[in-house]
């Protein structure tokens, strides 16, 4: 599939839409001057009928590619049956999906939300509840520099991003940041006030940095020793992305809490927090949300996760991810690319010059969507359905873009 089913362009629409966007959409990000209209498999189309090979997949979200039949059918069937009951009731897809997730993981209980940040907020609330009940009121959560946990006020406080530090004061208190992959720093930061450690097993937004195996094992030991919770934010790494269904499986340990988002809904807003039976601690009223267990989201999530498992997309992610790294190495020297790294289909490399945003713009012009997580870092997080021939096409477009942007 290479951009064959081009949608008919609506000539004249695009300019009007872009003007309306300038006037009506609250500015939060510099977006390219295109309006996306259609998606299918690995491709997106804009209103001018231009196609883009998508190696970002909605930021590690569209696990099954764009507009997969699995999601279309789940939405059609569930919306004909029940769109919404109330968060005060169980519903059928909610129960089935929770059961499915507990069977696929080491966890016993699931809370559903709509966004990753919301799942992380749940994890923080659960850890503080645990601290209140069992650790003499301990409330502090230790996170790592270069991590990313979301954009709510508390999650901006949890995230160890230096440039966020002065924003939106006052910050939510109760978070401490230590360097990533530094076990001694973590050990020293633990105090009587600590109730949990939260990490991403592979820092995603921070530039794709996997946790060292000894670090993760050490964190597990520290948490056991101090009776505090180990929280894995697997919002980016979960559901096959790293070559295993969940990234904790690479490390031979079990976290106490895991959060999922992004790929779990394949593009539908959905997130989850999973934990063990002994942390089933909330009293009525302490945690909830209008859309927790929303039937459409549940039906989609169940279908998406079912497809990821059935089609063994974690295995495919490991295979195609390794292929991407090998093929990138072949062109690395010629372009001065360094630091090719990643796990499965969460991959990054460094540019010889800090021209990430120019490269992303040049790639768009060449029909390729990639992401620059910082000026010198390019990140690839394609849908899990990506094939080797998609990779070959990506590399051809990437090389063209590198030629356009980098100084000879
Ligand atoms: C994207 C992301 C989040 C935030 O998810 P939202 O759905 O944007 O709230 C949190 N943690 C990690 C690791 C992420 O990659």
């Amino acid at each position: 599939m290479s951009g064959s089913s081009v949608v008919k362009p609506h000539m004249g629409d695009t300019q009007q839409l872009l003007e309306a966007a300038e006037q009506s959409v609250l500015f939060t990000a510099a977006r390219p001057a295109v309006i996306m209209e259609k998606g299918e498999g690995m491709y997106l189309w804009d209103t001018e009928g231009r196609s883009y090979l998508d190696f970002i997949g909605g930021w590690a979200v569209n696990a099954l590619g764009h507009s997969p039949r699995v999601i279309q059918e789940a939405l059609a069937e569930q919306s004909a049956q029940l769109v919404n009951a109330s968060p005060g009731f169980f519903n059928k897809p909610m129960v089935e999906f929770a059961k499915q997730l507990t069977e696929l993981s080491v966890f016993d209980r699931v809370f559903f939300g709509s966004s990753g940040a919301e799942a992380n907020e749940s994890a923080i609330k659960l850890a503080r509840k645990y601290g209140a009940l069992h650790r003499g009121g301990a409330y502090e959560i230790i996170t790592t520099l270069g991590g990313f946990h979301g954009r709510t006020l508390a999650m901006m406080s949890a995230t160890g991003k230096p440039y966020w530090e002065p924003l939106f004061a006052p910050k939510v208190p109760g978070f401490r940041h230590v360097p990533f992959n530094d076990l001694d720093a973590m050990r020293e930061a633990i105090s009587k006030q600590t109730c949990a450690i939260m990490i991403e097993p592979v820092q995603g937004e921070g530039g794709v940095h996997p946790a060292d195996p000894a670090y993760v094992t050490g964190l597990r030991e520290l948490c056991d020793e101090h009776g505090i919770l180990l929280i894995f934010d697997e919002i980016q790494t979960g559901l096959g992305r790293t070559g295993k269904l969940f990234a904790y499986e690479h490390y031979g340990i079990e976290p106490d809490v895991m959060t999922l988002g992004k790929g779990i809904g394949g593009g539908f807003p959905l997130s989850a927090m999973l934990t063990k039976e002994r942390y089933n601690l909330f009293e009525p009223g302490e945690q909830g949300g209008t859309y927790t267990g929303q039937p459409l989201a549940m039906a989609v999530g169940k279908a998406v996760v079912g497809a990821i498992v059935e089609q063994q997309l974690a295995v495919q992610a490991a295979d195609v991810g390794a292929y991407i790294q090998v093929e990138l190495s072949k062109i690395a020297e010629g372009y001065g690319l360094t630091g090719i790294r990643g796990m499965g289909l969460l991959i990054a490399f460094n540019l010889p010059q800090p021209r990430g945003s120019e490269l992303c713009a040049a790639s768009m012009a060449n029909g390729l969507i990639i992401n620059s997580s910082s000026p010198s870092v390019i990140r690839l997080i394609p849908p899990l359905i990506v094939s080797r021939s998609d990779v070959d096409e990506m590399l051809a477009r990437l090389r063209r873009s590198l030629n356009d942007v980098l100084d000879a």
Side-chain angles (χ1 to χ4, degrees):
M1 211 182 346
S2 60
S4 48
S5 56
V6 174
V7 292
K8 287 209 181 71
H10 307 258
M11 286 305 179
D13 276 8
T14 306
Q15 212 43 46
Q16 281 173 349
L17 286 167
L18 285 170
E19 276 162 30
E22 284 293 311
Q23 290 160 3
S24 314
V25 177
L26 184 75
F27 178 82
T28 55
R31 296 181 166 111
V34 299
I35 306 279
M36 291 304 178
E37 188 171 41
K38 187 182 160 58
E40 191 184 314
M42 286 294 298
Y43 284 83
L44 275 173
W45 283 265
D46 67 18
T47 46
E48 296 291 304
R50 285 177 300 228
S51 72
Y52 303 88
L53 177 58
D54 188 359
F55 265 67
I56 293 306
W59 260 263
V61 166
N62 296 55
L64 305 180
H66 289 284
S67 300
R69 178 141 328 143
V70 170
I71 294 184
Q72 294 179 37
E73 284 172 0
L75 279 173
E77 279 167 29
Q78 187 58 44
S79 61
Q81 197 67 27
L82 175 68
V83 169
N84 196 47
S86 147
F89 296 120
F90 293 123
N91 64 68
K92 210 171 145 197
M94 170 206 217
V95 177
E96 290 168 353
F97 189 28
K99 182 103 181 109
Q100 179 189 37
L101 288 173
T102 58
E103 282 171 4
L104 290 170
S105 70
V106 296
F107 302 98
D108 308 305
R109 297 269 178 179
V110 189
F111 173 80
F112 292 107
S114 307
S115 71
E118 191 186 4
N120 280 344
E121 292 263 349
S122 294
I124 296 307
K125 284 168 73 175
L126 187 63
R128 287 188 177 184
K129 175 83 198 202
Y130 170 81
L133 289 175
H134 301 296
R135 284 270 296 164
Y139 59 84
E140 200 169 75
I141 319 273
I142 309 174
T143 65
T144 60
L145 294 167
F148 180 82
H149 300 295
R151 287 192 170 79
T152 58
L153 271 179
M155 287 312 109
M156 286 185 85
S157 301
T159 291
K161 233 186 204 186
Y163 106 87
W164 278 5
E165 279 311 303
L167 293 181
F168 311 124
K171 274 277 179 308
V172 176
F175 295 98
R176 256 181 107 152
H177 311 301
V178 296
F180 186 59
N181 269 335
D182 183 339
L183 194 58
D184 290 334
M186 190 63 87
R187 187 179 291 115
E188 278 161 33
I190 296 173
S191 75
K192 283 219 318 257
Q193 292 307 327
T194 310
C195 65
I197 290 170
M198 175 158 80
I199 66 156
E200 300 165 77
V202 183
Q203 288 190 334
E205 304 298 308
V208 185
H209 301 293
D212 299 332
Y215 179 63
V216 174
T217 318
L219 291 183
R220 182 64 275 176
E221 283 166 11
L222 276 181
C223 288
D224 290 342
E225 191 181 311
H226 292 274
I228 59 177
L229 302 191
L230 181 59
I231 303 171
F232 266 32
D233 176 345
E234 293 228 24
I235 287 164
Q236 190 155 155
T237 56
L239 280 324
R241 173 65 47 191
T242 66
K244 302 263 189 200
L245 194 56
F246 305 111
Y248 70 77
E249 296 172 25
H250 291 287
Y251 295 96
I253 60 107
E254 297 183 5
D256 301 300
V257 177
M258 171 173 75
T259 54
L260 299 173
K262 297 204 162 97
I264 191 175
F268 200 91
L270 172 62
S271 66
M273 178 200 65
L274 291 85
T275 192
K276 308 259 186 160
E277 184 57 40
R278 64 179 173 280
Y279 305 114
N280 184 22
L281 299 174
F282 287 127
E283 298 292 334
E286 292 179 348
Q287 177 60 334
T290 302
Y291 293 126
T292 185
Q294 204 281 344
L296 293 180
M298 297 296 99
V300 169
K302 186 167 84 95
V304 168
V305 173
I308 289 172
V309 172
E310 213 169 278
Q311 296 171 32
Q312 298 192 296
L313 292 182
V315 176
Q316 187 173 323
D319 174 63
V320 180
Y323 180 69
I324 293 177
Q325 291 206 39
V326 167
E327 294 302 304
L328 277 172
S329 327
K330 291 182 188 164
I331 64 162
E333 206 181 336
Y335 292 103
L337 310 180
T338 53
I340 297 164
R341 59 190 176 272
M343 271 171 117
L345 289 171
L346 178 50
I347 292 173
F349 56 90
N350 304 332
L351 297 173
Q353 297 146 17
R355 301 214 167 155
S357 32
E358 286 159 84
L359 184 67
C360 289
S363 297
M364 282 290 286
N366 289 318
L368 172 66
I369 304 175
I370 55 176
N371 163 249
S372 173
S373 55
S374 65
S376 296
V377 176
I378 295 298
R379 185 171 46 155
L380 306 174
I381 33 178
L384 305 182
I385 56 158
V386 64
S387 69
R388 286 179 179 229
S389 64
D390 294 323
V391 173
D392 295 341
E393 183 60 36
M394 178 275 287
L395 286 161
R397 295 180 189 198
L398 177 67
R399 289 211 311 272
R400 222 174 296 149
S401 311
L402 287 164
N403 287 333
D404 292 346
V405 166
L406 293 183
D407 295 334

